[in-house]
Amino acid sequence: MPAASVLTSPPRSFDASGRALPLTPEEIDRRAALALQALDSLEGMGDEEEQRETFAYLARAVNEDRLSNRPRFGS
């Protein structure tokens, strides 16, 4: 499995009142491209069997110690 890179947004610029200044169209496009890159990188993480096992584990963990008798995910 490839290592996931951590993407962080650059800090926004603020005016004297603390309001965020609007982003330029170029900055919006750049951030959109980074978001798509991050989503594309998720596609290659793990195979189908690993994803099924992960979901089964998470579903069991979520259903444990619930206040309600109804499971969040099927039993």
Side-chain angles (χ1 to χ4, degrees):
M1 174 168 54
S5 60
V6 177
L7 300 175
T8 58
S9 296
R12 298 271 317 250
S13 297
F14 296 93
D15 66 10
S17 300
R19 295 176 295 203
L21 297 173
L23 297 173
T24 64
E26 294 81 16
E27 182 64 16
I28 292 170
D29 290 343
R30 189 183 74 76
R31 289 183 182 205
L34 286 173
L36 289 174
Q37 178 185 352
L39 290 173
D40 286 341
S41 71
L42 292 176
E43 185 176 12
M45 293 178 72
D47 59 9
E48 280 190 49
E49 180 62 27
E50 181 183 7
Q51 291 174 6
R52 275 192 219 97
E53 290 172 4
T54 301
F55 176 76
Y57 170 79
L58 292 173
R60 280 192 309 273
V62 167
N63 283 332
E64 289 177 1
D65 298 324
R66 289 186 45 79
L67 296 176
S68 168
N69 291 334
R70 298 182 320 183
R72 174 75 69 183
F73 296 96
S75 54

